[in-house]
């Protein structure tokens, strides 16, 4: 008996990929627009900026040196960056363990690139590491670092989202 007449084209297409993973990506960044990547990067940048600024303020207020202050700022940038995603996916109904996994998968590379770039800008700007919170140099280096990090991290997020990674993981819960 010939059963081919019973298969719809959608069922046939599904069967063709069954057991072989997702259909191939026929174009670079097929599922990611620049707008989507910029929005994901801005989301990440917001959490990073809050954490980093808070870390710099705390370290400076406690009269810590540059290295412990930068370590605190980076740790808080990751904490706040992850927390934004964590709260969003928890609101969508995910249990805590699953939400943590989604936040880690969605944000780790983005936050790491952002922190690497913006802290390198601060470290390489003459005098910025020794500037006080009341100095324009401190704020211009910090904000300039965020701007450069945004420009560099956006294509990274576009590439990741286009491959179903990074913030693409979160979109299933929005």
């Amino acid at each position: 008996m010939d059963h081919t007449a019973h298969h719809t084209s959608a069922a046939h297409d599904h069967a063709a990929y069954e057991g072989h993973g997702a259909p191939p990506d026929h174009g670079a960044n097929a599922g990611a627009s620049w707008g989507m990547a910029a929005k994901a990067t801005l989301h990440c940048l917001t959490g990073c900026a809050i954490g980093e600024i808070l870390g710099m303020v705390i370290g400076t207020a406690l009269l810590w040196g540059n290295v412990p202050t930068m370590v605190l700022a980076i740790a808080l940038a990751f904490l706040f960056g992850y927390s934004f995603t964590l709260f969003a996916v928890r609101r969508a109904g995910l249990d805590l363990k699953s939400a943590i996994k989604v936040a880690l998968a969605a944000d780790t590379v983005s936050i790491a690139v952002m922190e690497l770039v913006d802290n390198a800008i601060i470290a390489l700007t003459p005098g910025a590491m020794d500037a006080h919170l009341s100095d324009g140099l401190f704020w211009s280096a910090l904000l300039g670092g965020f701007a450069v990090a945004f420009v560099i991290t956006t294509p990274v997020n576009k590439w990741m989202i286009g491959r179903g990674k990074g913030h693409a993981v979160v979109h299933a819960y929005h």
Side-chain angles (χ1 to χ4, degrees), residues 136-159:
L137 177 60
F138 169 81
W139 292 103
S140 63
L142 185 63
L143 297 176
F146 289 150
V148 172
F150 179 83
V151 169
I152 291 174
T153 308
T154 299
V156 171
N157 281 331
K158 184 179 186 316
W159 181 83

Side-chain angles (χ1 to χ4, degrees), residues 45-168:
L45 178 64
T46 303
C48 288
I50 291 169
E52 192 152 333
I53 291 168
L54 184 59
M56 296 286 188
V57 169
I58 292 170
T60 300
L62 295 176
L63 303 175
W64 288 359
N66 291 336
V67 173
T69 298
M70 192 171 270
V71 168
L72 177 63
I74 292 169
L76 290 177
F78 272 91
L79 179 71
F80 277 85
Y82 286 139
S83 70
F84 278 29
T85 299
L86 186 67
F87 291 136
V89 295
R90 287 282 291 148
R91 245 188 334 229
L94 249 61
D95 63 280
L96 183 60
K97 185 177 178 180
S98 297
I100 290 170
K101 287 180 182 180
V102 168
L104 291 172
D107 294 331
T108 300
V109 172
S110 183
I111 295 171
V113 170
M114 192 158 299
E115 285 303 297
L116 178 69
V117 171
D118 90 73
N119 282 286
I121 299 288
I122 293 167
L124 295 173
T125 301
M129 292 296 292
D130 295 319
H132 295 282
L133 295 175
S134 60
D135 293 338
L137 177 60
F138 169 81
W139 292 103
S140 63
L142 185 63
L143 297 176
F146 289 150
V148 172
F150 179 83
V151 169
I152 291 174
T153 308
T154 299
V156 171
N157 281 331
K158 184 179 186 316
W159 181 83
M160 289 177 45
I161 293 167
R163 281 151 186 77
K165 307 288 185 201
H167 271 265

Side-chain angles (χ1 to χ4, degrees), residues 14-46:
H14 174 70
Y17 293 110
E18 192 170 14
H20 300 288
D25 182 8
H26 294 290
N29 304 316
S33 69
W34 282 106
M36 183 185 298
K39 184 176 179 182
T41 305
L42 188 58
H43 174 267
C44 180
L45 178 64
T46 303

